[in-house]
Amino acid sequence: MTAVRLTIAICIAEILAMSSFASFPALTPFFFEHWSLTGTDAGWINGMFFFGFMLVGPLSTSFTDRVDARNVFLAGCVLAGIGTYGFAFHAEDFWSSLPWRFISGAGLGCTYMPGLKLLTDRLPQGDQSRSIAFYTACFSCGSAVSFLAVGQIFLWMDWKTSLAAIIIGPPLGIAIILFCTKPLKSATKRPWSQIMNYAPVVRNRFTMGYILGYVVHTWELVAMRSFILAFLAYSHTLTDAPAWMDVSAITAFAVFLGLPSSVLGNELSLKIGRRRSITIIMILSFIVSCVIGFTAEMPFAFVVAVASLYGITITADSSSLTAGAVGSSPLDLRGATMAVHSFLGFTGGMLGPVVAGMVLDSAGGPTETLGWGLMFASVGAVTLLGPFFLRLTRD
């Protein structure tokens, strides 16, 4: 199979494995009322998904230095399917939802970075940079498809049906991987005794500069995607927007913009340099974050335009950060590097929505424009640490 076809196949499998990503955030306005949730409660439910990713992801990714990443990806699809099923049929309130979101997140931890390793292990060195960019950009595509599927089915059916329908995603991901890839024997197996040894990665300041930048990037990205639909729903009620401007479709569009944005961001980094490109993008993202929440009472078309712009700026540095971390690591430490990258990155992903929810509640809650304004500004402010971390990547 050619590099292009392989990349497309694994990207599609990734998107399908992510079907449960928006199970909660796509229905946040409904759950605010149905489960009587606060902003902090919503933050914890969103954060629990990435807590599962954070705990399981490093272990599963580290194993790919010893075992074929293909097997890890397949196991992750099974976990994702279990979590999706449990949330659809056994989550009835705040507490009962947490374990199922954790399991879904653990499934993502076994598919996202191991999927990248599955891809790069099967590509020549020269084909990797753009393939990595497309793969990481498909995280946005998978998120958008999940938002759209859950939101649109909920619009026409009910919440149980919308959650049950997306259970099909992980099994289809398994089918694609089994059909399009073959088992691979690693030529440079890392000894079992060294599998959990991350010291060589942490000592590599070039790699750590990109990884720490990825932490603040993921903090902002996950917080934004956890609450953006609820914010748009709030604005929709204030501005008498027409019914055809459905917030789930708008959210999916804003999130989907992360795919071309991430790919083009990587192209920009190839032209002007990774560090400069990432720094410019992070500053632009912070500026938009300071604006978006306070636009809630403006014409809804303008709110949608700002949300779309945020969907672009917040993801434009994603593939550059990941490609920088992977490209600066030795071949035999790729799995360990991706493990540290995902663990620290999605530690930010776990904390981001929790802290954002607390800020939202402390500033008036989800029914106050001030709360939304300060919440988005707070998550954007964290990203300003990124340019300082990138100084580690200087020669």
Side-chain angles (χ1 to χ4, degrees):
M1 182 176 289
T2 65
V4 172
R5 290 181 179 178
L6 179 65
T7 301
I8 292 172
I10 295 179
C11 284
I12 292 173
E14 175 201 1
I15 291 168
L16 290 168
M18 290 180 63
S19 64
S20 68
F21 179 90
S23 293
F24 179 78
L27 302 180
T28 299
F30 168 79
F31 286 125
F32 269 139
E33 181 178 350
H34 187 62
W35 289 349
S36 301
L37 301 178
T38 65
T40 303
D41 293 335
W44 275 110
I45 296 174
N46 282 307
M48 189 57 64
F49 180 87
F50 291 96
F51 185 52
F53 186 110
M54 181 192 75
L55 288 186
V56 177
L59 182 62
S60 63
T61 309
S62 296
F63 280 171
T64 63
D65 277 336
R66 179 72 194 188
V67 301
D68 189 354
R70 180 178 188 262
N71 297 329
V72 179
F73 189 98
L74 293 173
C77 286
V78 174
L79 275 178
I82 293 171
T84 308
Y85 171 84
F87 190 77
F89 294 105
H90 299 291
E92 301 294 342
D93 53 23
F94 171 77
W95 291 106
S96 62
S97 69
L98 295 179
W100 300 113
R101 291 302 284 165
F102 177 89
I103 294 172
S104 292
L108 181 62
C110 291
T111 55
Y112 182 49
M113 283 298 167
L116 180 58
K117 185 71 158 48
L118 166 65
L119 176 62
T120 56
D121 281 348
R122 289 163 173 77
L123 291 176
Q125 190 73 23
D127 293 332
Q128 290 188 4
S129 180
R130 285 190 170 88
S131 292
I132 289 172
F134 276 103
Y135 181 87
T136 55
C138 279
F139 188 92
S140 293
C141 187
S143 305
V145 169
S146 183
F147 269 109
L148 188 63
V150 174
Q152 290 301 301
I153 297 172
F154 172 70
L155 186 64
W156 296 102
M157 306 288 286
D158 58 72
W159 73 284
K160 287 283 189 182
T161 304
S162 67
L163 296 178
I166 58 173
I167 297 173
I168 190 63
L172 290 177
I174 290 175
I176 288 175
I177 294 300
L178 290 176
F179 181 76
C180 296
T181 67
K182 296 180 180 179
L184 185 69
K185 209 174 253 190
S186 176
T188 56
K189 286 187 177 180
R190 202 173 179 210
W192 282 112
S193 60
Q194 293 294 311
I195 286 296
M196 302 297 289
N197 179 16
Y198 302 121
V201 178
V202 176
R203 287 196 295 264
N204 186 335
R205 67 180 179 87
F206 294 96
T207 299
M208 288 306 299
Y210 290 113
I211 289 175
L212 292 174
Y214 188 69
V215 172
V216 295
H217 158 79
T218 309
W219 178 299
E220 182 186 23
L221 176 69
V222 173
M224 178 267 200
R225 290 184 178 173
S226 295
F227 287 103
I228 188 64
L229 185 142
F231 166 72
L232 289 171
Y234 166 72
S235 177
H236 194 282
T237 62
L238 294 180
T239 56
D240 295 324
W244 62 266
M245 297 187 77
D246 174 59
V247 294
S248 66
I250 292 168
T251 301
F253 174 73
V255 172
F256 178 78
L257 287 174
L259 192 156
S261 171
S262 185
V263 173
L264 293 174
N266 183 69
E267 294 298 317
L268 178 65
S269 72
L270 293 176
K271 291 185 180 299
I272 69 173
R274 277 202 183 100
R275 190 170 63 249
R276 181 184 299 176
S277 170
I278 293 168
T279 298
I280 292 171
I281 290 166
M282 285 182 166
I283 292 172
L284 289 174
S285 188
F286 167 67
I287 293 171
V288 179
S289 76
C290 290
V291 173
I292 182 171
F294 294 105
T295 66
E297 298 175 38
M298 295 183 181
F300 193 63
F302 180 74
V303 178
V304 171
V306 177
S308 300
L309 177 61
Y310 200 22
I312 293 171
T313 60
I314 205 169
T315 52
D317 55 350
S318 180
S319 59
S320 298
L321 288 163
T322 300
V326 173
S328 62
S329 66
L331 186 61
D332 62 332
L333 289 175
R334 287 280 172 85
T337 298
M338 291 180 191
V340 176
H341 187 67
S342 63
F343 174 75
L344 293 180
F346 285 92
T347 297
M350 179 197 72
L351 295 174
V354 175
V355 175
M358 291 178 177
V359 173
L360 179 63
D361 283 341
S362 65
T367 58
E368 296 291 335
T369 299
L370 178 64
W372 288 110
L374 294 179
M375 187 210 78
F376 281 115
S378 72
V379 300
V382 175
T383 310
L384 290 180
L385 294 172
F388 294 97
F389 293 141
L390 289 175
R391 292 184 177 185
L392 293 171
T393 66
R394 290 178 176 174
D395 293 326

